[in-house]
Amino acid sequence: METAVSTAKETDGSVMAALRSPKRLRIEILAGLVVALALIPEAISFSIIAGVDPSVGLFASFTMAVTISIVGGRRAMISAATGAIALVIAPVVKEYGLDYLIATVILAGVLQIVLSVIGVARLMRFIPRSVMVGFVNALAILIFTAQVPHLLGVPWLVYPMVALGIVIMVLLPKLSNVVPAPLVAIVLLTAATIVFSLNVPDVGDEGELPSSLPTWLIPDVPFTLETLKIIAPYALAMAMVGLLESLMTAKLVDDITDTHSDKTREGWGQGVANVVTGFFGGMGGCAMIGQTMINVKDAGARTRISTFLAGVFLLILVVGLGDIVALIPMAALVAVMIMVSVGTMDWHSLAPKTLRRMPIAETTVMLVTVVVTVVSHNLAYGVIAGVLTAMVAFAHRVAHFTEVEKIGDADIDHDGDFDTRVYKVHGELFFASSNDLIYQFDYVDDPRNVVIDMSDAHIWDASTVATLDAITTKYESKGKNVEIVGLNEASELRHGRLSGHLSGGH
């Protein structure tokens, strides 16, 4: 019983449970250190993309991580400066300067809070599994391709160092999990570089590390409508991209850890983190998927402690130990990120057996998500493209389920002719399926009374009501009567409210 309780505490995601468990606390502390080391070159690179000083990206990563660890809705997820955000805000810096960037970040944070409070996180349920798989695979590709520049035009020693780092991370977990394998690889390769005076690219070559702490900053911009017009479009884009990437990452971590997160809290937490980051002169950010995978999958973190310490360690490393951190060879960090890429890829989704079994539409959605993401280097664009493709595929599939059946004639008149024709409509009727409905009836040869039985159909939109109106109008123009019967309650309500008030258009 005592062992079971101990195990439960170790796997509990709460901070108090982690503080009472030396084993869990050690995992969280070491995970935070590994993530902090991996954040440094990324933050510097994203600062360069955004066109700002490296300190702007590094301080953003510190404030984002620390703030989201307190207010966020997904334990153990890492938020910091990201490439997607850097791409969105780069034009602001180029055209208007750093102060307008800070104002944009603050406004984006406010927008994220508002959007989350009104329920944007609930839209996550409309993202299909095939988009999620494409998102993960595209992420793996982007993480790997981001390492390629560090492997081109470099001394030959870089390649065996990267290979050694990968070997360490593959073999060490089979022997011991006491210390995260990525941390061991970084320490050993850094020690080898220093001891043998190896001339290889290091973190210091990526950019100058700051030597002072971040300070409170009010952006020096005029508080006018003109300023709002300048920053609002960029702020909205940043808010949407940041929310989408963060919520997708939260869902991914939910799946990996088999736990549930509060998506609404995570959304407004991202907003709060960006507001705080802006007032400390940071470039803003969102969830970092690569570093989150290091934290959760490689290091085994499960609580907010690792996220908080990632930010704290980052600040200590770059401000207090900058001279030492600058000596870390990029080969060590490249090896870590390559392993993250391999571990992130959903290899099962690419297996020939899986592809043969999967419907073509599902595979297409996954590929669209991957291709758009990789080409644009923006995960948000890829997800949006994937969702739109999935919607079109679904509409096309459902549209073919609609059928009109001529089930017979009734009511013979005094001349012995059939007086009534009955049609039965089957399926879900919406804009994609109802457009062809009008061509399924014999307006010329049908008798003077027509009954359309809708008991096996459902009306979903105004397009269908307009189509039914057009069918009725066509019959009436030929002196025939139409009766629509069998509508369920929702369909009858929609038809009764809209019928006769639409232009039809046929």
Side-chain angles (χ1 to χ4, degrees):
M1 174 67 79
E2 202 170 309
T3 304
V5 172
S6 176
T7 303
K9 286 182 178 180
E10 287 174 4
T11 57
D12 191 334
S14 70
V15 171
M16 293 307 298
L19 291 176
R20 290 193 295 266
S21 169
K23 178 181 178 182
R24 169 51 54 188
L25 187 58
R26 172 180 55 77
I27 291 173
E28 300 296 318
I29 292 173
L30 293 177
L33 180 57
V34 175
V35 170
L37 291 169
L39 278 173
I40 295 171
E42 297 270 297
I44 295 173
S45 299
F46 298 147
S47 298
I48 294 171
I49 292 173
V52 296
D53 188 81
S55 63
V56 177
L58 290 165
F59 289 157
S61 295
F62 159 66
T63 51
M64 286 292 297
V66 169
T67 306
I68 205 65
S69 71
I70 300 169
V71 300
R74 173 63 259 178
R75 296 166 176 168
M77 192 166 80
I78 305 298
S79 290
T82 62
I85 298 300
L87 289 171
V88 171
I89 61 175
V92 182
V93 181
K94 184 177 180 180
E95 295 182 33
Y96 303 101
L98 182 61
D99 284 298
Y100 278 85
L101 164 65
I102 303 304
T104 301
V105 171
I106 295 171
L107 179 58
V110 173
L111 290 174
Q112 286 179 325
I113 295 172
V114 172
L115 289 170
S116 300
V117 169
I118 64 177
V120 72
R122 289 194 292 269
L123 296 176
M124 283 297 295
R125 69 179 183 270
F126 293 108
I127 297 180
R129 180 187 177 279
S130 51
V131 174
M132 192 67 195
V133 173
F135 170 81
V136 169
N137 290 342
L139 161 67
I141 294 171
L142 286 179
I143 292 174
F144 180 81
T145 55
Q147 312 314 311
V148 173
H150 300 295
L151 298 173
L152 299 177
V154 294
W156 69 270
L157 275 173
V158 169
Y159 303 111
M161 290 180 71
V162 170
L164 179 59
I166 292 173
V167 169
I168 292 171
M169 285 180 281
V170 170
L171 297 181
L172 185 60
K174 298 177 181 179
L175 302 175
S176 172
N177 286 317
V178 175
V179 180
L183 180 58
V184 174
I186 291 171
V187 170
L188 290 180
L189 290 176
T190 302
T193 301
I194 295 173
V195 170
F196 298 106
S197 300
L198 302 179
N199 184 22
V200 293
D202 53 33
V203 171
D205 296 328
E206 296 296 299
E208 186 178 354
L209 300 178
S211 57
S212 61
L213 297 173
T215 56
W216 186 259
L217 173 67
I218 303 294
D220 184 17
V221 297
F223 290 88
T224 62
L225 186 60
E226 185 63 30
T227 299
L228 185 62
K229 288 180 180 178
I230 291 172
I231 67 174
Y234 298 104
L236 181 59
M238 175 181 166
M240 295 301 294
V241 168
L243 279 177
L244 184 56
E245 197 156 331
S246 298
L247 294 177
M248 290 288 284
T249 305
K251 189 174 186 302
L252 180 60
V253 177
D254 288 353
D255 295 339
I256 292 172
T257 60
D258 197 24
T259 57
H260 178 69
S261 60
D262 186 339
K263 304 298 189 301
T264 298
R265 177 177 174 179
E266 181 60 37
W268 63 254
Q270 290 288 331
V272 172
N274 272 306
V275 171
V276 171
T277 296
F279 280 118
F280 276 96
M283 59 181 275
C286 62
M288 287 199 79
I289 307 169
Q291 275 65 21
T292 296
M293 291 301 99
I294 292 174
N295 197 45
V296 175
K297 289 189 73 173
D298 296 343
R302 291 294 182 271
T303 77
R304 299 175 186 275
I305 295 175
S306 59
T307 307
F308 178 82
L309 290 179
V312 172
F313 282 144
L314 173 65
L315 188 66
I316 293 173
L317 288 170
V318 299
V319 175
L321 302 173
D323 292 341
I324 297 175
V325 171
L327 299 176
I328 296 175
M330 285 303 299
L333 299 175
V334 167
V336 170
M337 297 312 294
I338 288 176
M339 288 301 295
V340 169
S341 172
V342 172
T344 301
M345 180 70 74
D346 185 345
W347 297 104
H348 175 72
S349 69
L350 303 178
K353 184 178 179 180
T354 303
L355 293 173
R356 283 195 300 268
R357 182 176 300 167
M358 193 68 62
I360 294 177
E362 300 290 325
T363 303
T364 301
V365 169
M366 181 188 73
L367 289 176
V368 167
T369 305
V370 171
V371 170
V372 174
T373 300
V374 172
V375 171
S376 67
H377 283 252
N378 192 315
L379 289 161
Y381 292 162
V383 170
I384 292 170
V387 170
L388 291 176
T389 304
M391 289 171 61
V392 172
F394 175 76
H396 182 266
R397 210 161 45 235
V398 174
H400 285 75
F401 290 156
T402 304
E403 179 186 2
V404 178
E405 178 187 4
K406 189 187 295 185
I407 64 173
D409 305 307
D411 299 336
I412 300 176
D413 63 14
H414 63 278
D415 295 324
D417 296 326
F418 287 107
D419 185 56
T420 304
R421 173 82 74 199
V422 180
Y423 290 93
K424 192 173 185 67
V425 180
H426 306 269
E428 306 299 316
L429 299 174
F430 64 111
F431 62 88
S433 59
S434 63
N435 284 334
D436 290 333
L437 192 64
I438 196 170
Y439 305 114
Q440 307 301 312
F441 299 87
D442 190 350
Y443 303 99
V444 176
D445 296 328
D446 277 345
R448 62 176 175 268
N449 294 312
V450 175
V451 175
I452 302 177
D453 184 356
M454 303 283 289
S455 56
D456 286 345
H458 186 95
I459 297 175
W460 287 102
D461 62 5
S463 294
T464 302
V465 177
T467 299
L468 292 174
D469 283 353
I471 292 170
T472 303
T473 301
K474 274 182 173 289
Y475 273 116
E476 289 176 348
S477 69
K478 300 184 184 304
K480 300 174 183 181
N481 301 314
V482 178
E483 184 182 6
I484 299 175
V485 300
L487 291 171
N488 59 39
E489 185 178 352
S491 298
E492 186 171 10
L493 181 63
R494 186 171 286 110
H495 184 263
R497 186 172 67 247
L498 298 176
S499 182
H501 300 285
L502 302 170
S503 60
H506 285 93

